[in-house]
Amino acid sequence: MQESVTRTLSGVVYILLLLSATLYSQYSFSLLFGIFMLICVVEFCKLIHLKSSVPILLALASYIIFVFFNTVNTKTDMLLTLATLFISANLILDLFVEKMRPKEDKIAKFVKLFGYIILPFVLLMKIPFVDGDFNPKIVIGIFILIWTNDTFAYIVGKSMGKHKLLERISPKKTIEGFIGGLVFTMIGSYILSCFFTFFSHSTWIVTGLIIGLLGTVGDLIESKFKRTAGVKDSGKIMPGHGGVLDRLDSVIFVVPFLYLFYQILNYVHTVS
């Protein structure tokens, strides 16, 4: 009972902090997620056994260069997106590799850190500007759909789940839960499109489809890192929830795909 109360209170504080900082201004939004990024860097470094001092400096430098001094630069942003998607594709392939790979060197670890943690946060900072001016509701909408997917995947999986999704990585996840999360996320994306009308119905539905399909993949990828490291959670900063990376694993994985989708839409709109 006490654990449930602690988990609920911790979750409420997290959601209120995220919503208030995102809606207040672009500066509070950048500050909060900059802090989240640094915490995730530290947590990820522990998972892959990498000293965090240099990665923290790398993360700060990347954040300053690509966020504060380069808010909108299409060519640079596309290069960052493609680099991130390349790492994402490799992480997806790693899910299906059963045998342990040889011990990775520092360069490989830094590449994963950069493409899996740092660049997704950089791209997340750019998503509210996809229409030009800062629009925090885009980020709020994405988080609502992420939470919808997580919640209903858990509910459906708990009540109806019989077939394991990828048992050797995450024993509790089921195919039924995955489908349930996807279906309710699609429903949620349509409902959201009725209120957040700056995007069309179809744009929100595709956004929901990307989140529903890839959000669970992002969670599985972090689960594999934790299983390899032999730990249950990435950290302990959020009582009852684990680390910040545990809360943002789905978000940081889907962000590059969403950003690419929004950039393609902008390009098509400009050409037409």
Side-chain angles (χ1 to χ4, degrees):
M1 180 65 179
Q2 185 177 355
E3 184 179 347
S4 298
V5 172
T6 301
R7 180 180 173 85
T8 301
L9 290 176
S10 178
V12 169
V13 170
Y14 163 70
I15 291 173
L16 289 177
L17 179 63
L18 189 150
L19 293 177
S20 58
T22 303
L23 291 171
Y24 185 71
S25 74
Q26 68 183 79
Y27 302 107
S28 58
F29 169 66
S30 299
L31 177 61
L32 177 66
F33 280 91
I35 294 171
F36 281 168
M37 177 190 66
L38 293 178
I39 296 172
C40 286
V41 165
V42 173
E43 292 177 347
F44 186 66
C45 285
K46 289 181 180 179
L47 292 180
I48 62 174
H49 305 292
L50 185 67
K51 291 183 179 180
S52 60
S53 53
V54 174
I56 287 173
L57 292 175
L58 177 63
L60 282 172
S62 301
Y63 207 68
I64 292 170
I65 293 170
F66 295 122
V67 175
F68 291 104
F69 294 136
N70 185 36
T71 303
V72 179
N73 187 317
T74 304
K75 291 183 179 179
T76 303
D77 294 348
M78 286 307 296
L79 288 174
L80 295 178
T81 304
L82 293 175
T84 310
L85 292 175
F86 177 78
I87 301 299
S88 298
N90 278 275
L91 292 174
I92 292 173
L93 292 175
D94 279 348
L95 290 176
F96 302 98
V97 176
E98 294 189 26
K99 294 182 179 180
M100 293 293 292
R101 290 190 173 188
K103 190 175 181 180
E104 291 182 320
D105 57 23
K106 282 190 177 181
I107 294 177
K109 291 179 179 180
F110 270 101
V111 169
K112 285 187 176 180
L113 171 74
F114 199 64
Y116 176 57
I117 303 293
I118 298 174
L119 286 184
F121 273 99
V122 169
L123 295 176
L124 178 59
M125 293 302 99
K126 296 174 181 294
I127 279 183
F129 296 94
V130 291
D131 278 342
D133 296 327
F134 179 68
N135 183 356
K137 291 182 179 179
I138 299 176
V139 175
I140 298 300
I142 290 171
F143 271 97
I144 288 173
L145 294 179
I146 288 283
W147 295 331
T148 300
N149 185 52
D150 289 346
T151 301
F152 284 98
Y154 174 79
I155 292 173
V156 175
K158 191 78 172 177
S159 59
M160 301 172 57
K162 293 182 180 179
H163 302 88
K164 301 298 182 182
L165 184 61
L166 204 56
E167 188 172 8
R168 61 185 176 79
I169 293 178
S170 186
K172 294 183 179 180
K173 282 187 171 51
T174 64
I175 295 174
E176 292 84 357
F178 172 73
I179 295 173
L182 175 61
V183 170
F184 280 97
T185 301
M186 297 297 293
I187 295 171
S189 65
Y190 178 78
I191 295 172
L192 197 64
S193 70
C194 298
F195 296 92
F196 288 3
T197 55
F198 48 84
F199 280 167
S200 65
H201 291 296
S202 58
T203 299
W204 275 121
I205 287 172
V206 174
T207 296
L209 180 63
I210 292 172
I211 289 172
L213 290 174
L214 296 176
T216 301
V217 175
D219 189 53
L220 286 171
I221 287 171
E222 200 230 352
S223 292
K224 183 165 185 180
F225 279 117
K226 290 189 292 186
R227 185 166 287 274
T228 302
V231 297
K232 181 182 178 181
D233 299 314
S234 65
K236 299 179 180 179
I237 196 170
M238 295 179 63
H241 292 271
V244 173
L245 184 55
D246 292 321
R247 294 300 92 210
L248 296 177
D249 54 2
S250 297
V251 177
I252 62 174
F253 189 76
V254 303
V255 157
F257 296 91
L258 290 176
Y259 189 72
L260 178 63
F261 169 56
Y262 296 147
Q263 289 292 77
I264 292 172
L265 283 183
N266 280 340
Y267 176 77
V268 171
H269 178 73
T270 301
V271 171
S272 60

